[in-house]
Amino acid sequence: TFAAKEGVEDNYEEGARAITRLRPTKKDIVIGVSASGMTQFVRGALTRARKAGARIIFVTCDPGTELQTFVDLTIAPGVGAEVIAGSTRLKAGTATKLVLNMLTTGAMVRIGKTYGNLMVDVQTGSEKRKDRARRIVNIVTGLEYDEVDKLMKRAHWNVKAAIVMQRTGLAYPKALSRLRKAHDSMREAIGEDIEPRLRGMLQGHAEAKTPL
């Protein structure tokens, strides 16, 4: 069983130590999360991150606290009063999770893990994930599944490399090199944006389902 470690949120030094272990730099962004105000743990963590030169984002549903010396950006969804007074794990917790989902999704898009709305940076350690990889390559390349299998084997089950290989005719090592030069961005590596084609596919699918 798991139990909450009580009192940690009030420990400034523990927050500072937690960030120190991560060794943030000027290239990093540190996100502090505190549903109601800024706890001492978060304050300690963000203060240490600021000293390291990291940019700071603070996510809270109660922005009425002095933040200017700690953060570069505050994200404060207005959820109103909780259904059960004092239980910030309800509306505030749900809203906070939505904000964090948006931040992490945006980060994944920016660092090249997606192509259109497809998660092309797929780990293929299981048959379920291999099937997901096959479907992604099928959508992007238009190849039949048996051809996709052959391509994926040549690409060592690297989805991004497989797509670059099919689109450019490059061998696996050169496809990897092109991806590195493109900062791991599929769009840059193959010079093609898939979003218009995906929209066309979705529209065609919707029209096929519409009764005459």
Side-chain angles (χ1 to χ4, degrees), residues 112 115 120 136-137 140-141 143 151-152 154-155 158-192:
Y115 183 46
V120 289
I136 291 170
V137 176
V140 176
T141 65
L143 294 174
L151 175 62
M152 291 299 291
R154 295 203 313 273
N158 181 323
V159 171
K160 297 169 89 168
I163 294 170
V164 172
M165 289 165 65
Q166 192 273 338
R167 279 286 185 258
T168 64
L170 293 173
Y172 177 68
K174 291 188 176 180
L176 291 180
S177 178
R178 178 173 288 208
L179 278 166
R180 282 194 295 270
K181 289 177 182 177
H183 307 290
D184 223 24
S185 167
M186 286 290 308
R187 189 178 289 105
E188 290 184 33
I190 64 178
E192 178 186 353

Side-chain angles (χ1 to χ4, degrees), residues 19 29-33 42 46 55-59 75 99-100 103-104:
I19 284 294
I29 295 175
V30 175
I31 302 174
V33 181
V42 173
L46 297 188
R55 295 283 186 158
I56 307 298
I57 296 175
F58 183 47
V59 180
I75 301 175
V99 170
L100 295 177
L103 288 171
T104 53

Side-chain angles (χ1 to χ4, degrees), residues 30-65:
V30 175
I31 302 174
V33 181
S34 187
S36 179
M38 185 182 286
T39 65
Q40 286 301 307
F41 179 94
V42 173
R43 188 180 296 271
L46 297 188
T47 301
R48 186 60 57 88
R50 171 66 82 199
K51 288 180 180 177
R55 295 283 186 158
I56 307 298
I57 296 175
F58 183 47
V59 180
T60 181
C61 292
D62 180 17
T65 180

Side-chain angles (χ1 to χ4, degrees), residues 5-210:
K5 192 173 181 180
E6 299 295 341
V8 172
E9 66 179 12
D10 298 322
N11 193 323
Y12 179 99
E13 288 301 325
E14 187 62 33
R17 283 194 291 270
I19 284 294
T20 299
R21 287 193 290 269
L22 296 175
R23 299 179 181 176
T25 70
K26 293 179 180 179
K27 295 181 179 180
D28 294 311
I29 295 175
V30 175
I31 302 174
V33 181
S34 187
S36 179
M38 185 182 286
T39 65
Q40 286 301 307
F41 179 94
V42 173
R43 188 180 296 271
L46 297 188
T47 301
R48 186 60 57 88
R50 171 66 82 199
K51 288 180 180 177
R55 295 283 186 158
I56 307 298
I57 296 175
F58 183 47
V59 180
T60 181
C61 292
D62 180 17
T65 180
E66 49 90 16
L67 304 170
Q68 290 77 9
T69 59
F70 292 93
V71 305
D72 298 293
L73 173 66
T74 300
I75 301 175
V79 298
E82 291 289 354
V83 176
I84 299 174
S87 187
T88 54
R89 74 186 62 194
L90 298 176
K91 287 199 292 184
T94 301
T96 298
K97 186 174 188 302
L98 289 172
V99 170
L100 295 177
N101 281 345
M102 286 186 277
L103 288 171
T104 53
T105 300
M108 286 192 293
V109 171
R110 291 299 299 272
I111 64 177
K113 290 186 175 292
T114 63
Y115 183 46
N117 69 340
L118 301 172
M119 180 65 78
V120 289
D121 211 338
V122 180
Q123 301 299 317
T124 55
S126 68
E127 281 305 315
K128 180 180 178 180
R129 289 181 177 180
K130 283 184 177 181
D131 188 56
R132 184 181 303 162
R134 290 185 189 98
R135 284 186 279 116
I136 291 170
V137 176
N138 164 258
I139 291 170
V140 176
T141 65
L143 294 174
E144 297 297 333
Y145 265 46
D146 56 343
E147 292 299 318
V148 169
D149 255 345
K150 293 175 184 176
L151 175 62
M152 291 299 291
K153 287 172 183 176
R154 295 203 313 273
H156 302 272
W157 288 94
N158 181 323
V159 171
K160 297 169 89 168
I163 294 170
V164 172
M165 289 165 65
Q166 192 273 338
R167 279 286 185 258
T168 64
L170 293 173
Y172 177 68
K174 291 188 176 180
L176 291 180
S177 178
R178 178 173 288 208
L179 278 166
R180 282 194 295 270
K181 289 177 182 177
H183 307 290
D184 223 24
S185 167
M186 286 290 308
R187 189 178 289 105
E188 290 184 33
I190 64 178
E192 178 186 353
D193 190 342
I194 196 176
E195 290 177 14
R197 185 150 57 87
L198 286 173
R199 285 196 295 269
M201 291 169 63
L202 290 172
Q203 184 178 353
H205 182 67
E207 290 174 352
K209 292 178 68 177
T210 302

